[in-house]
Amino acid sequence: MEQDPPPGLDAALIDHLLAQNRTQLIAIADAIVRDRHEAEDVVQDTIAATLTRLPEIAPDKVSHYLSRAVRQNALKRKSRRREYAVLESAAAVKGIDCRNPLDGLDPFDLEEAIASLPLSQQSVVRMKYYLGMTFRQIGVSLSISTHTAASRCRYAITKLNRFFTK
């Protein structure tokens, strides 16, 4: 879905800037994430986020801004991928599905177990696994830090595991 350019910006100028920088931006991201398709995703996400900030950026600084933003986003993506790989390998050893530890459980038993959690943990678990929100989104939504959201989820999953291993 294409976004309309921010008010006051010429669509032709935006197209020119993106066409001029796209190959270089993909190369930057690809050098970091080592996956061409993922690099293209990083560039696309960065461009979409940059469009909203474009009026604030001096026209002669757009290329530099995009390069730095793509580099930062690629590093974040690589870091998340590495963290996920570590979690996935640890989960494989324990026989746990780290994508969603609630998968495969009886829905009625699961709901009963979630209802037994403190309200703060119930909220985080439902937002994370039912709505698919990130810990950052959960933190913003509940006005708590990202780390607090992650901790509440971790504590909840630990309690749920105990509930189902009784």
Side-chain angles (χ1 to χ4, degrees):
M1 185 167 127
E2 286 196 27
Q3 291 181 334
D4 291 332
L9 288 177
D10 182 16
L13 173 65
I14 293 170
D15 290 341
H16 173 71
L17 287 170
L18 298 180
Q20 181 182 16
N21 293 300
R22 186 171 171 75
T23 305
Q24 177 190 5
L25 296 174
I26 292 172
I28 291 169
D30 190 29
I32 295 169
V33 296
R34 303 271 186 212
D35 180 332
R36 175 74 177 193
H37 297 291
E38 195 168 2
E40 290 173 355
D41 289 345
V42 168
V43 170
Q44 185 66 31
D45 293 345
T46 304
I47 289 171
T50 302
L51 282 178
T52 59
R53 293 187 168 185
L54 211 47
E56 304 165 14
I57 305 168
D60 61 325
K61 304 284 186 191
V62 172
S63 295
H64 178 71
Y65 179 89
L66 282 171
S67 297
R68 288 182 54 99
V70 164
R71 181 180 179 277
Q72 286 299 107
N73 290 338
L75 288 168
K76 286 178 189 175
R77 176 83 59 109
K78 182 178 178 180
S79 174
R80 272 186 252 128
R81 189 175 59 195
R82 186 178 308 132
E83 289 169 9
Y84 180 76
V86 168
L87 288 173
E88 193 173 60
S89 61
V93 170
K94 295 179 181 178
I96 301 169
D97 179 8
C98 67
R99 290 179 190 252
N100 188 342
L102 309 180
D103 280 347
L105 300 175
D106 180 81
F108 296 108
D109 292 340
L110 179 59
E111 194 53 42
E112 179 184 344
I114 291 174
S116 72
L117 296 171
L119 188 57
S120 61
Q121 293 176 5
Q122 287 181 36
S123 302
V124 172
V125 166
R126 287 190 171 109
M127 294 170 108
K128 177 71 177 164
Y129 296 108
Y130 290 176
L131 301 178
M133 296 172 72
T134 65
F135 290 128
R136 178 178 286 172
Q137 293 168 330
I138 293 169
V140 169
S141 176
L142 297 177
S143 299
I144 58 176
S145 76
T146 303
H147 296 291
T148 300
S151 294
R152 288 180 183 175
C153 187
R154 186 176 62 250
Y155 294 135
I157 295 302
T158 300
K159 289 178 183 177
L160 291 173
N161 282 334
R162 283 191 213 130
F163 185 90
F164 287 103
T165 57
K166 286 181 183 178

